[in-house]
Every structure is written in structure tokens, then in C-alpha cells.
Amino acid sequence: MKDTEQEVFKKIFGFDPYPFQAEVFEKISNQKYPLLIKAPTGSGKTEAVLAPFLSQFLENKFYIAPRLIYVLPMRVMVNSITQRINEYAKRVSPYISVKIQHGDIPDAPFFIADIVVTTLDQFVYGFARASQQVGHHIDMPAGAIASSLVVFDEAHMYRDEFTFSIMRAIMEILYESKIPFVIMTATMPESLEKSLFENIKDYSKIIGEDVVSSKLQIKICDEPLYANNEVNIDDELLGIMKKKKTLIVLNQVKRAQKIYEEIKKRLGLNENQIVLLHSRFTKKDRERHENTALSLIPHKENGEVKIPEGVGIVVSTQVLEAGIDFSAELLLTEIAPADCLVQRAGRCARYEGEEGEMIIFPVEDKEGYRPYEKEHLDKTINWLRERLDENPKFNIKNFNEVLSFVDILDYHANDFEAKDTLIDLYECVLYADTKPQNIQVRNGKPVTLVVIDLSKGDGKKKEDIIRNSIRKIAANLRENSIDIDIGVAQQLQDNKDNKVLKYKLKYDHSSKNWDFEEIREIQPFNIYIIEKSHYDENLGVKNDTSYFI
């Protein structure tokens, strides 16, 4: 006899499904696709789609799909969610394979596994036959995707109109190809939903409910945290931060570095009491800082909330809006679009019954609003001020309030910006005669920096010293690397008084060694050397004044 959804949830997760999870189970089991799930952060969207998929292994009948491909916006989220999915899969069968596919862990380039957790970039490259890892077998990933259930989680987090356009094209191709897919989000505005589903009329939508009761008191300040190259934090607020587990989120790396240094200095803290997180750290330092952040702020271990002793302050950029499960008592944040503020609020008073405080600061008028649209910041702060005037008890933790809040934003796809990629994407689906050349998923293009201490090389000539320095860390290039937008690299190179990037790293196939050459301009998809003197393991890349995330 077939298990009910209650029995499946009990067997795999150990609890009964929430009403929205039961509804998702019913829709997926009856193959009602496409499906859009809007539910709060931490409410169990992942479990909702895993339950019907894994129930196939309990029945040994694969009427949904033999494979699940789980797509996320960022690598850091892939790693954490894979661990969770693996634990659930093992409760069903030790033979269910769960693999990761992204740039750092390319374990499933052909998308061949029972469950593949990947990024949108890897999914699009695989589907569009543009993967660099599969050699001549460029059709295999697309073939695997065609026989899978595809889940796009955190679909609101792609942010720019370019990526939304690629997302919409992929959704329409999957829809026309009868490939089942699910879109999941906590904070997708109505405008973006209409844009993404513009040509898909018969999709199903399920709205989730709050599963955790907590409160966050909101206060809006009049002065920026950082303005005119000065940090604006008074002694009273510093005193509170010393007593409460505090998360501070800035919109730009430069501002996060300045705030971190100021607080650390004025409170006399060490690296075990305050930590900085952003996207300009090497992979090994980023992992170390994430572990430190988790050790400073209350978090769950084996289902129990663990509260660290002593001072705990985490200073971050928007990289922390998802992927880390901890719960601060005090959140200081620069104004950001409504959906970003909701995500940041999700890291404060996160657990059942908790109460916290969220203080929102404006940003400088000139370029301070970047990387966001100024219009989105103005709409958000004005809406909050009006709502707090009407109802001082407004709770950003209430999902119905969240849905109203994020709907003030006007997000949509922009096919003109993404036209080159869209042409290649549609041609590869229709004709598949040549390998596409113009596929990209983000508006920006990536480059990689590798931190190398050029003072530690041996040799008499400058060139020999540089080559020797490179070869000393050649075995650890990946862990000493930083993936950034090309705009950041161009800003670092454009400084005429202090050019940070001078050399490109290249692999010499004849000698099978890494070598270098001097550069005139930054090109996408290349690897560049950043000298150790321009990098600090606690601050990240120095002199980075760009606004790119």
C-alpha cells in the first residue's frame, strides 16, 4: 500500500507536514507542473519537494522523475543544502546518490546522479551544451535534465534583469519541453512572478504559512552608518553591541571593512570576538570566517539552540542574506530593497519565541545606494516609515506582512540586455548544430584573483622571483583564489598611482607549469595575480572601492 504524505514525512523527516507541504506533496505526486511555492524562510520548502521525490524510492515506482536537479543561486548555499539533502536521502536508502556540481566541486558534470545540487550557472551551461567539463559529450547534461524534476530554489535572489531574462527563457523551454519544474521563493514580488510566468499561464501556486513565531522591533535612523569617509556609531550603540549578539550588514565591501575596523578598535576586540564576511576573501579565508561567524552568534546544533559566551559581532555584506543558519539578537543594516531586508531579518530572532531588534540606516546620497537601484531603496524606506507610523507593532517576521512589503518592488526580466545569450540559448535548443559561444548567466563577467606573496620567491632577476613565488603555491591555487566580477578587477587595475593587478597567471602546457605575463587590460574568464601586500586575511582585498557585490 502506498504511504500517505504524513507517513512519508514521519519516515524521512520525523515530523508531520505543514498544510502547505501536504499541498506540495499532492501537486507533485499528481504531476501538476509548473509549480510556484511562496513560503517563509526556514518553513521547509526543501522538505516539501523532497518528500514526494524520495517517496518514489520507498515505493520503487518512479512516476514523477528518476532524477532531481536542485538549482540554487550561490555555491555557498549548494554546499550547505547538499549536506541536508544527503542526510534525508540516507534515511530512505544508502544507495541514493547525492552529488554537487559547481565550479569548486564539479562532481556531476553530466548531471548523472539520483539528486544533483547545482548553481544556475552550471545548470544553464549544461543545458545549453556550453559546459567546458564534458569534452565532446556536450549533449549529455541536456539529456539528463530532460528526464529530471528540476527545482529552482531561492529564485528571487538572482537580482539583475539580465539573469531574470535567462531564468524566464529556461522556464519557457522546460515548459514547452514538458520537463517538470518547481520555482521556490520566500520574497518574490508579484511583478517578478508576472514577468517570469508571462508566457506560462497554467501554473499552480501554493502560498506557505509561518511555522515559527518570533518578533523583530524595527527602528529607522536618520544618519548613515558611514558617510564622508567616517564611521557614525555612538558610544551608546557600541555599548549595546558589546552585550548583544550583533549582526551588521552593509551594502558595499569598502563600508563593511571600515565599520569592522572601527568597532574592533573602539571596543578593543580580537578575531575571536568580531569577524568580517564578504565576497573578496580567498576560499580558505572565507570558510574560516564563516565558521567563526557561526561560533559567535546563537545557532542550532542537533536541533538545540547553542548560545556562545562573550562578545559576538559579525560584520558582513549581503553575502550573508542566505546560507547561514544563525540568530542574532541585534541587527544593524543599511537600507536595502524590501526583499533583501526580509532576508537580512531572517538572520535575527530566527528561532521560535525569540524577540530581537532591527535598526535600519540610510546610505549616502551620491553613489551610496549602489549596487541597488535608488528607486528601490526610496520605495522601501518610505513604505516602512508609513507602515510603522500606522502600526508601530508591524512585524517583518509575519509572512502576510512580508508578501505586502516585497510587492512594492518592480522587478522584471530584460530580454534586450540578455539578447546575445538568448539567441544562443534558443538556437542550441532548436538546432543543436554548433557549440554555443555567447552563453552567460550574469550581466557581469567573472575573473579570478590568486593571492601570491611575490617577496618569498627565489632568484636574481625579477621574472625568476615571480615564477618561483607562483610555483611555491601552485598546488594550492584554488584555496588561495577569489572569484570576482570583472568590474572589481578593472577598478583595482585602473588606479594609476597604485595598480593592484599587474600580472596574468597562465598555464604553460609544454612545461606543465604556471607562468605569468604583464597585462594592459583586464579580460573576462582570466586569472590574475594579486600581490599579498594588497590582501589581508582579516579584511580581504584592500583598496576595493567598487560597488559590485
Side-chain angles (χ1 to χ4, degrees):
M1 179 184 294
K2 182 179 177 180
D3 288 338
T4 64
E5 60 260 32
Q6 282 80 9
E7 290 168 331
V8 172
F9 266 76
K10 278 283 188 185
K11 279 182 182 176
I12 302 175
F13 311 120
F15 58 81
D16 288 328
Y18 298 114
F20 93 90
Q21 291 175 321
E23 197 177 348
V24 171
F25 192 103
E26 185 265 332
K27 292 282 187 191
I28 292 180
S29 297
N30 290 298
Q31 301 173 56
K32 301 291 185 185
Y33 307 114
L35 178 60
L36 170 65
I37 304 170
K38 286 186 174 181
T41 54
S43 62
K45 293 188 288 297
T46 303
E47 287 76 4
V49 295
L50 276 178
F53 176 77
L54 290 175
S55 72
Q56 297 179 118
F57 291 85
L58 295 172
E59 298 174 48
N60 201 25
K61 291 180 181 176
F62 295 86
Y63 51 92
I64 299 171
R67 185 179 300 106
L68 173 69
I69 299 179
Y70 200 100
V71 186
L72 286 155
M74 294 184 283
R75 293 178 190 178
V76 63
M77 299 172 73
V78 169
N79 299 347
S80 61
I81 215 156
T82 301
Q83 187 178 1
R84 204 162 112 216
I85 290 175
N86 217 0
E87 288 173 7
Y88 292 146
K90 280 187 168 33
R91 294 176 193 173
V92 177
S93 167
Y95 302 108
I96 297 175
S97 56
V98 181
K99 292 195 173 181
I100 290 176
Q101 173 61 26
H102 64 57
D104 291 339
I105 309 175
D107 283 350
F110 297 106
F111 291 86
I112 303 295
D114 294 316
I115 301 175
V116 178
V117 189
T118 187
T119 59
L120 181 66
D121 304 64
Q122 291 289 322
F123 180 86
V124 172
Y125 292 141
F127 186 73
R129 306 163 61 254
S131 172
Q132 301 291 324
Q133 300 171 35
V134 298
H136 298 296
H137 309 288
I138 58 176
D139 295 311
M140 286 189 68
I145 289 169
S147 59
S148 301
L149 169 63
V150 183
V151 175
F152 298 95
D153 195 6
E154 307 288 2
H156 53 277
M157 293 191 69
Y158 297 111
R159 298 279 184 253
D160 64 83
E161 295 175 347
F162 184 104
T163 309
F164 286 145
S165 181
I166 305 305
M167 183 82 187
R168 178 167 69 179
I170 286 288
M171 287 168 57
E172 290 176 2
I173 293 168
L174 295 180
Y175 175 70
E176 295 295 337
S177 306
K178 312 294 183 194
I179 299 172
F181 71 93
V182 179
I183 305 291
M184 304 203 297
T185 176
T187 55
M188 181 183 286
E190 197 79 18
S191 57
L192 181 57
E193 179 187 333
K194 286 180 180 175
S195 182
L196 292 178
F197 286 90
E198 185 178 358
N199 298 313
I200 302 173
K201 303 302 180 189
D202 55 342
Y203 66 97
S204 302
K205 180 161 72 172
I206 293 174
I207 304 292
E209 59 272 333
D210 288 312
V211 299
V212 172
S213 175
S214 63
K215 291 181 182 176
L216 206 51
Q217 184 179 2
I218 295 179
K219 176 183 173 185
I220 300 175
C221 284
D222 296 325
E223 299 296 326
L225 263 177
Y226 183 84
N228 301 317
N229 297 317
E230 290 186 2
V231 174
N232 177 29
I233 297 179
D234 61 32
D235 290 339
E236 183 182 356
L237 185 54
L238 274 178
I240 296 172
M241 290 163 56
K242 203 167 183 179
K243 294 175 184 173
K244 291 188 174 183
K245 306 298 183 188
T246 302
L247 169 62
I248 307 171
V249 186
L250 291 303
N251 298 344
Q252 295 181 4
V253 171
K254 172 190 168 185
R255 298 206 289 257
Q257 289 174 327
K258 295 291 184 185
I259 297 287
Y260 166 82
E261 287 182 303
E262 179 79 8
I263 295 172
K264 186 179 179 184
K265 178 183 172 186
R266 285 172 63 185
L267 288 180
L269 304 178
N270 60 41
E271 286 78 22
N272 295 319
Q273 296 170 308
I274 182 169
V275 69
L276 177 63
L277 277 174
H278 56 68
S279 58
R280 314 285 202 269
F281 282 109
T282 61
K283 291 179 173 58
K284 69 175 181 181
D285 286 338
R286 172 83 177 262
E287 184 178 350
R288 180 170 57 82
H289 287 222
E290 286 176 356
N291 291 333
T292 302
L294 202 59
S295 73
L296 293 177
I297 304 292
H299 57 278
K300 284 191 174 179
E301 289 184 9
N302 300 319
E304 300 292 326
V305 178
K306 184 175 181 181
I307 302 174
E309 293 183 357
V311 178
I313 300 173
V314 175
V315 183
S316 177
T317 61
Q318 46 278 76
V319 297
L320 195 136
E321 286 174 10
I324 288 189
D325 180 7
F326 67 29
S327 180
E329 297 170 281
L330 173 64
L331 168 63
L332 311 183
T333 174
E334 291 187 318
I335 185 66
D339 57 329
C340 300
L341 282 188
V342 172
Q343 291 291 335
R344 295 176 190 186
R347 315 295 140 194
C348 185
R350 182 177 177 85
Y351 305 134
E352 178 65 32
E354 290 185 340
E355 295 188 11
E357 184 178 10
M358 178 180 189
I359 305 177
I360 301 171
F361 295 83
V363 292
E364 280 187 291
D365 285 339
K366 292 180 181 177
E367 297 293 317
Y369 61 87
R370 292 177 183 274
Y372 304 112
E373 296 290 333
K374 188 172 185 302
E375 176 194 356
H376 292 152
L377 301 192
D378 291 343
K379 275 186 179 177
T380 300
I381 197 98
N382 291 337
W383 189 95
L384 275 173
R385 283 193 170 119
E386 288 176 12
R387 181 54 62 99
L388 288 169
D389 282 344
E390 292 171 7
N391 176 18
K393 292 183 179 179
F394 163 72
N395 186 11
I396 199 170
K397 294 289 188 176
N398 181 297
F399 192 56
N400 286 327
E401 296 271 23
V402 166
L403 291 176
S404 302
F405 186 28
V406 298
D407 277 349
I408 66 174
L409 298 170
D410 181 20
Y411 288 168
H412 53 270
N414 187 329
D415 289 350
F416 180 77
E417 276 194 17
K419 60 183 184 304
D420 291 340
T421 292
L422 291 177
I423 290 170
D424 257 18
L425 187 57
Y426 284 120
E427 282 194 349
C428 83
V429 172
L430 290 171
Y431 308 115
D433 50 355
T434 57
K435 189 174 179 180
Q437 300 295 320
N438 293 314
I439 298 289
Q440 66 183 81
V441 178
R442 320 275 173 177
N443 199 9
K445 294 181 179 177
V447 302
T448 300
L449 306 184
V450 176
V451 178
I452 296 179
D453 190 346
L454 299 181
S455 69
K456 291 191 174 179
D458 299 323
K460 293 181 179 178
K461 295 180 180 177
K462 178 183 171 185
E463 292 80 3
D464 294 336
I465 293 171
I466 295 174
R467 284 194 182 92
N468 186 261
S469 302
I470 293 169
R471 286 163 193 173
K472 281 187 174 178
I473 74 148
N476 302 310
L477 282 183
R478 182 174 289 276
E479 67 181 49
N480 285 290
S481 67
I482 311 166
D483 295 324
I484 59 172
D485 187 277
I486 190 171
V488 179
Q490 286 169 338
Q491 177 267 315
L492 291 171
Q493 208 242 351
D494 285 347
N495 189 333
K496 294 179 181 177
D497 298 325
N498 186 20
K499 281 193 177 184
V500 175
L501 305 182
K502 300 174 183 174
Y503 308 111
K504 183 173 84 173
L505 203 59
K506 62 178 186 178
Y507 189 72
D508 185 345
H509 290 278
S510 58
S511 67
K512 297 183 178 178
N513 278 315
W514 285 96
D515 205 342
F516 75 98
E517 65 182 27
E518 291 195 33
I519 57 171
R520 292 184 177 176
E521 61 178 356
I522 302 293
Q523 299 284 344
F525 309 109
N526 283 322
I527 305 173
Y528 297 94
I529 295 171
I530 180 167
E531 218 278 325
K532 180 71 172 64
S533 60
H534 296 293
Y535 180 83
D536 183 291
E537 60 183 19
N538 294 315
L539 281 177
V541 175
K542 300 179 190 174
N543 302 310
D544 176 2
T545 58
S546 63
Y547 59 83
F548 296 91
I549 295 174

